[in-house]
Short mmCIF file of all heavy atoms in Angstrom, two decimals:
data_model
loop_
_atom_site.label_atom_id
_atom_site.label_comp_id
_atom_site.label_asym_id
_atom_site.label_seq_id
_atom_site.Cartn_x
_atom_site.Cartn_y
_atom_site.Cartn_z
N ILE A 1 -6.11 -1.77 12.86
CA ILE A 1 -5.00 -1.17 13.65
C ILE A 1 -5.50 -1.11 15.10
O ILE A 1 -6.69 -1.18 15.41
CB ILE A 1 -4.64 0.23 13.15
CG1 ILE A 1 -5.85 1.18 13.26
CG2 ILE A 1 -4.11 0.23 11.71
CD1 ILE A 1 -5.57 2.67 12.95
N GLU A 2 -4.46 -1.06 15.94
CA GLU A 2 -4.71 -0.90 17.37
C GLU A 2 -4.06 0.36 17.88
O GLU A 2 -2.88 0.54 17.72
CB GLU A 2 -4.21 -2.09 18.21
CG GLU A 2 -4.48 -1.99 19.66
CD GLU A 2 -3.98 -3.25 20.45
OE1 GLU A 2 -3.46 -4.16 19.84
OE2 GLU A 2 -3.98 -3.20 21.69
N CYS A 3 -4.88 1.19 18.47
CA CYS A 3 -4.31 2.50 18.97
C CYS A 3 -3.46 2.33 20.23
O CYS A 3 -3.83 1.57 21.17
CB CYS A 3 -5.44 3.48 19.33
SG CYS A 3 -4.93 5.08 19.90
N THR A 4 -2.30 2.98 20.21
CA THR A 4 -1.33 2.78 21.33
C THR A 4 -1.16 4.11 22.17
O THR A 4 -0.56 4.14 23.18
CB THR A 4 0.01 2.29 20.89
OG1 THR A 4 0.54 3.22 19.95
CG2 THR A 4 -0.15 0.93 20.20
N GLY A 5 -1.70 5.23 21.58
CA GLY A 5 -1.55 6.43 22.32
C GLY A 5 -1.47 7.62 21.34
O GLY A 5 -1.99 7.51 20.23
N CYS A 6 -0.87 8.70 21.79
CA CYS A 6 -0.84 9.85 20.94
C CYS A 6 0.42 10.72 21.28
O CYS A 6 1.03 10.56 22.38
CB CYS A 6 -2.15 10.70 21.10
SG CYS A 6 -2.40 11.39 22.68
N GLU A 7 0.71 11.72 20.47
CA GLU A 7 1.75 12.73 20.73
C GLU A 7 1.10 14.06 20.91
O GLU A 7 0.11 14.42 20.29
CB GLU A 7 2.71 12.77 19.53
CG GLU A 7 3.49 11.44 19.33
CD GLU A 7 4.45 11.52 18.10
OE1 GLU A 7 4.27 12.52 17.33
OE2 GLU A 7 5.30 10.60 17.92
N LYS A 8 1.73 14.88 21.75
CA LYS A 8 1.14 16.15 22.03
C LYS A 8 2.26 17.19 21.96
O LYS A 8 3.45 16.90 22.14
CB LYS A 8 0.52 16.22 23.39
CG LYS A 8 -0.63 15.34 23.57
CD LYS A 8 -1.19 15.45 25.02
CE LYS A 8 -2.40 14.54 25.21
NZ LYS A 8 -3.00 14.70 26.58
N ASN A 9 1.92 18.51 21.72
CA ASN A 9 2.88 19.48 21.73
C ASN A 9 2.95 20.18 23.12
O ASN A 9 2.37 19.69 24.08
CB ASN A 9 2.51 20.59 20.66
CG ASN A 9 1.16 21.26 20.88
OD1 ASN A 9 0.65 21.10 22.01
ND2 ASN A 9 0.64 21.86 19.86
N ALA A 10 3.74 21.26 23.20
CA ALA A 10 3.97 21.89 24.45
C ALA A 10 2.71 22.44 25.15
O ALA A 10 2.60 22.60 26.31
CB ALA A 10 5.03 23.00 24.38
N GLN A 11 1.73 22.77 24.30
CA GLN A 11 0.48 23.26 24.77
C GLN A 11 -0.45 22.16 25.11
O GLN A 11 -1.64 22.46 25.50
CB GLN A 11 -0.16 24.17 23.75
CG GLN A 11 0.55 25.45 23.51
CD GLN A 11 1.82 25.31 22.72
OE1 GLN A 11 1.88 24.53 21.74
NE2 GLN A 11 2.92 26.02 23.11
N GLY A 12 -0.10 20.94 25.01
CA GLY A 12 -0.99 19.83 25.33
C GLY A 12 -1.93 19.47 24.25
O GLY A 12 -2.83 18.63 24.45
N GLU A 13 -1.78 19.96 23.07
CA GLU A 13 -2.64 19.67 21.86
C GLU A 13 -2.16 18.40 21.21
O GLU A 13 -0.94 18.17 21.01
CB GLU A 13 -2.66 20.82 20.91
CG GLU A 13 -3.13 22.15 21.51
CD GLU A 13 -2.83 23.33 20.60
OE1 GLU A 13 -1.79 23.30 19.84
OE2 GLU A 13 -3.61 24.28 20.71
N ILE A 14 -3.09 17.58 20.80
CA ILE A 14 -2.71 16.31 20.11
C ILE A 14 -2.22 16.63 18.81
O ILE A 14 -2.85 17.26 17.95
CB ILE A 14 -3.95 15.36 20.10
CG1 ILE A 14 -4.43 15.01 21.56
CG2 ILE A 14 -3.72 14.11 19.30
CD1 ILE A 14 -5.69 14.36 21.56
N THR A 15 -1.02 16.21 18.43
CA THR A 15 -0.39 16.37 17.11
C THR A 15 -0.38 15.11 16.25
O THR A 15 -0.26 15.20 15.07
CB THR A 15 1.01 16.93 17.28
OG1 THR A 15 1.79 16.01 18.07
CG2 THR A 15 1.01 18.28 17.93
N ALA A 16 -0.48 13.97 16.87
CA ALA A 16 -0.46 12.67 16.12
C ALA A 16 -1.02 11.61 16.96
O ALA A 16 -0.89 11.59 18.20
CB ALA A 16 0.94 12.34 15.65
N VAL A 17 -1.60 10.59 16.26
CA VAL A 17 -2.16 9.41 16.92
C VAL A 17 -1.14 8.29 16.60
O VAL A 17 -0.60 8.23 15.51
CB VAL A 17 -3.52 9.05 16.44
CG1 VAL A 17 -4.10 7.74 17.07
CG2 VAL A 17 -4.47 10.21 16.70
N LEU A 18 -0.85 7.42 17.53
CA LEU A 18 -0.01 6.31 17.38
C LEU A 18 -0.82 4.98 17.37
O LEU A 18 -1.71 4.84 18.13
CB LEU A 18 1.05 6.27 18.53
CG LEU A 18 1.84 7.51 18.74
CD1 LEU A 18 2.76 7.36 19.95
CD2 LEU A 18 2.61 7.91 17.47
N ALA A 19 -0.48 4.10 16.46
CA ALA A 19 -1.17 2.81 16.33
C ALA A 19 -0.27 1.75 15.70
O ALA A 19 0.69 2.03 15.08
CB ALA A 19 -2.48 2.98 15.51
N LYS A 20 -0.66 0.49 15.90
CA LYS A 20 0.02 -0.62 15.34
C LYS A 20 -0.83 -1.29 14.32
O LYS A 20 -2.06 -1.45 14.57
CB LYS A 20 0.38 -1.68 16.41
CG LYS A 20 1.38 -1.17 17.43
CD LYS A 20 1.86 -2.33 18.38
CE LYS A 20 0.62 -2.89 19.14
NZ LYS A 20 1.11 -3.96 20.09
N LEU A 21 -0.28 -1.68 13.18
CA LEU A 21 -1.01 -2.52 12.25
C LEU A 21 -1.15 -3.89 12.77
O LEU A 21 -0.26 -4.53 13.36
CB LEU A 21 -0.23 -2.68 10.89
CG LEU A 21 -0.41 -1.54 9.86
CD1 LEU A 21 0.49 -1.75 8.70
CD2 LEU A 21 -1.86 -1.44 9.39
N VAL A 22 -2.32 -4.52 12.62
CA VAL A 22 -2.51 -5.92 13.02
C VAL A 22 -2.28 -6.73 11.74
O VAL A 22 -2.96 -6.62 10.73
CB VAL A 22 -3.95 -6.18 13.53
CG1 VAL A 22 -4.14 -7.66 13.90
CG2 VAL A 22 -4.23 -5.29 14.74
N PRO A 23 -1.24 -7.57 11.73
CA PRO A 23 -0.88 -8.33 10.50
C PRO A 23 -2.01 -9.21 10.02
O PRO A 23 -2.93 -9.58 10.76
CB PRO A 23 0.32 -9.15 10.97
CG PRO A 23 0.81 -8.48 12.23
CD PRO A 23 -0.37 -7.91 12.86
N ASP A 24 -1.97 -9.46 8.75
CA ASP A 24 -2.89 -10.42 8.10
C ASP A 24 -4.34 -10.04 8.28
O ASP A 24 -5.27 -10.94 8.27
CB ASP A 24 -2.72 -11.86 8.65
CG ASP A 24 -1.26 -12.38 8.42
OD1 ASP A 24 -0.67 -12.00 7.40
OD2 ASP A 24 -0.76 -13.01 9.33
N THR A 25 -4.67 -8.77 8.26
CA THR A 25 -6.09 -8.29 8.41
C THR A 25 -6.49 -7.41 7.26
O THR A 25 -7.51 -6.66 7.32
CB THR A 25 -6.28 -7.58 9.72
OG1 THR A 25 -5.43 -6.45 9.77
CG2 THR A 25 -6.09 -8.48 10.85
N LYS A 26 -5.73 -7.41 6.17
CA LYS A 26 -6.04 -6.52 5.03
C LYS A 26 -7.30 -6.85 4.39
O LYS A 26 -7.70 -7.99 4.21
CB LYS A 26 -4.92 -6.61 4.00
CG LYS A 26 -5.00 -5.61 2.87
CD LYS A 26 -3.86 -5.76 1.86
CE LYS A 26 -3.94 -4.76 0.76
NZ LYS A 26 -2.83 -4.87 -0.23
N SER A 27 -8.11 -5.80 4.11
CA SER A 27 -9.34 -5.99 3.44
C SER A 27 -9.25 -6.76 2.15
O SER A 27 -8.30 -6.54 1.39
CB SER A 27 -10.01 -4.59 3.14
OG SER A 27 -10.28 -3.88 4.33
N GLY A 28 -10.20 -7.70 1.94
CA GLY A 28 -10.16 -8.46 0.71
C GLY A 28 -9.29 -9.67 0.79
O GLY A 28 -9.25 -10.46 -0.20
N THR A 29 -8.60 -9.95 1.88
CA THR A 29 -7.76 -11.18 2.01
C THR A 29 -8.45 -12.13 3.04
O THR A 29 -9.35 -11.75 3.68
CB THR A 29 -6.40 -10.78 2.63
OG1 THR A 29 -6.56 -10.31 3.98
CG2 THR A 29 -5.70 -9.73 1.82
N PRO A 30 -8.00 -13.40 2.94
CA PRO A 30 -8.70 -14.42 3.77
C PRO A 30 -8.75 -14.12 5.27
O PRO A 30 -9.60 -14.43 6.01
CB PRO A 30 -7.88 -15.66 3.46
CG PRO A 30 -7.29 -15.45 2.11
CD PRO A 30 -7.04 -13.98 2.08
N GLY A 31 -7.72 -13.28 5.74
CA GLY A 31 -7.69 -13.02 7.17
C GLY A 31 -8.34 -11.72 7.55
O GLY A 31 -8.25 -11.30 8.68
N ALA A 32 -9.05 -11.09 6.62
CA ALA A 32 -9.64 -9.79 6.92
C ALA A 32 -10.62 -9.81 8.06
O ALA A 32 -10.75 -8.84 8.79
CB ALA A 32 -10.35 -9.34 5.64
N ASP A 33 -11.31 -10.90 8.25
CA ASP A 33 -12.32 -11.03 9.35
C ASP A 33 -11.79 -11.70 10.58
O ASP A 33 -12.57 -11.94 11.48
CB ASP A 33 -13.54 -11.75 8.88
CG ASP A 33 -14.27 -10.93 7.74
OD1 ASP A 33 -14.16 -9.71 7.68
OD2 ASP A 33 -14.86 -11.57 6.79
N ALA A 34 -10.56 -11.90 10.63
CA ALA A 34 -9.93 -12.65 11.79
C ALA A 34 -10.13 -11.82 13.03
O ALA A 34 -10.22 -12.40 14.12
CB ALA A 34 -8.45 -12.95 11.49
N VAL A 35 -10.02 -10.53 12.96
CA VAL A 35 -10.17 -9.64 14.08
C VAL A 35 -11.43 -8.81 13.86
O VAL A 35 -11.57 -8.02 12.91
CB VAL A 35 -8.94 -8.69 14.23
CG1 VAL A 35 -9.13 -7.76 15.39
CG2 VAL A 35 -7.69 -9.56 14.40
N LYS A 36 -12.36 -8.96 14.82
CA LYS A 36 -13.69 -8.26 14.69
C LYS A 36 -13.47 -6.91 15.33
O LYS A 36 -13.02 -6.69 16.48
CB LYS A 36 -14.76 -8.98 15.38
CG LYS A 36 -14.93 -10.40 14.89
CD LYS A 36 -15.48 -10.45 13.44
CE LYS A 36 -15.75 -11.84 12.92
NZ LYS A 36 -16.18 -11.83 11.53
N VAL A 37 -13.97 -5.88 14.62
CA VAL A 37 -13.97 -4.42 15.08
C VAL A 37 -15.31 -3.81 14.75
O VAL A 37 -15.92 -4.24 13.83
CB VAL A 37 -12.82 -3.63 14.51
CG1 VAL A 37 -11.46 -4.15 14.90
CG2 VAL A 37 -12.89 -3.59 12.95
N LYS A 38 -15.66 -2.85 15.57
CA LYS A 38 -16.88 -2.10 15.32
C LYS A 38 -16.71 -0.81 14.60
O LYS A 38 -17.53 -0.27 13.87
CB LYS A 38 -17.58 -1.85 16.65
CG LYS A 38 -18.09 -3.08 17.33
CD LYS A 38 -18.89 -2.71 18.61
CE LYS A 38 -19.41 -3.97 19.25
NZ LYS A 38 -20.17 -3.61 20.44
N GLY A 39 -15.46 -0.24 14.65
CA GLY A 39 -15.15 1.09 14.09
C GLY A 39 -14.42 0.90 12.80
O GLY A 39 -13.54 0.21 12.63
N VAL A 40 -14.82 1.66 11.77
CA VAL A 40 -14.20 1.79 10.45
C VAL A 40 -13.92 3.28 10.18
O VAL A 40 -14.88 4.07 10.23
CB VAL A 40 -15.02 1.17 9.36
CG1 VAL A 40 -14.33 1.28 8.00
CG2 VAL A 40 -15.28 -0.34 9.67
N ILE A 41 -12.68 3.65 9.89
CA ILE A 41 -12.35 5.00 9.66
C ILE A 41 -11.76 5.21 8.25
O ILE A 41 -11.06 4.38 7.78
CB ILE A 41 -11.43 5.58 10.73
CG1 ILE A 41 -10.17 4.87 10.81
CG2 ILE A 41 -12.12 5.57 12.11
CD1 ILE A 41 -9.18 5.41 11.83
N THR A 42 -12.08 6.37 7.70
CA THR A 42 -11.50 6.74 6.35
C THR A 42 -10.16 7.39 6.59
O THR A 42 -9.85 7.97 7.67
CB THR A 42 -12.47 7.64 5.59
OG1 THR A 42 -12.81 8.69 6.45
CG2 THR A 42 -13.71 6.92 5.13
N TRP A 43 -9.28 7.36 5.58
CA TRP A 43 -7.93 7.83 5.67
C TRP A 43 -7.42 8.21 4.31
O TRP A 43 -7.93 7.76 3.32
CB TRP A 43 -7.04 6.78 6.39
CG TRP A 43 -7.06 5.47 5.55
CD1 TRP A 43 -7.99 4.48 5.71
CD2 TRP A 43 -6.18 5.03 4.53
NE1 TRP A 43 -7.76 3.49 4.88
CE2 TRP A 43 -6.64 3.72 4.10
CE3 TRP A 43 -4.99 5.60 3.95
CZ2 TRP A 43 -5.98 3.04 3.07
CZ3 TRP A 43 -4.39 4.89 2.94
CH2 TRP A 43 -4.88 3.63 2.56
N VAL A 44 -6.30 8.94 4.30
CA VAL A 44 -5.61 9.28 3.10
C VAL A 44 -4.12 9.33 3.44
O VAL A 44 -3.64 9.80 4.48
CB VAL A 44 -5.97 10.67 2.54
CG1 VAL A 44 -5.08 11.16 1.43
CG2 VAL A 44 -7.45 10.70 2.14
N SER A 45 -3.34 8.69 2.59
CA SER A 45 -1.86 8.64 2.80
C SER A 45 -1.23 10.01 2.81
O SER A 45 -1.51 10.85 2.01
CB SER A 45 -1.21 7.77 1.66
OG SER A 45 0.18 7.98 1.68
N VAL A 46 -0.38 10.24 3.80
CA VAL A 46 0.38 11.44 3.88
C VAL A 46 1.30 11.60 2.62
O VAL A 46 1.49 12.66 2.11
CB VAL A 46 1.19 11.56 5.18
CG1 VAL A 46 2.16 12.71 5.21
CG2 VAL A 46 0.22 11.67 6.37
#
């Protein structure tokens, strides 16, 4: 994914991160290594 920014509340606190999926980069598929990144983050579906 590529980070595009974030959302904040009235107090200036970050409430959400915004990002775009990079197509054809799913782990375990032929294109997984097409885009090289250094960071890997864990996640859980809302």
Side-chain angles (χ1 to χ4, degrees):
I1 60 173
E2 181 179 355
C3 181
T4 59
C6 63
E7 296 177 349
K8 298 181 180 182
N9 60 18
Q11 291 75 41
E13 300 166 330
I14 297 170
T15 57
V17 178
L18 306 176
K20 296 187 300 183
L21 276 175
V22 179
D24 301 322
T25 58
K26 185 177 180 181
S27 297
T29 66
D33 296 328
V35 179
K36 302 293 184 183
V37 294
K38 292 184 178 180
V40 178
I41 60 177
T42 50
W43 56 277
V44 170
S45 165
V46 170

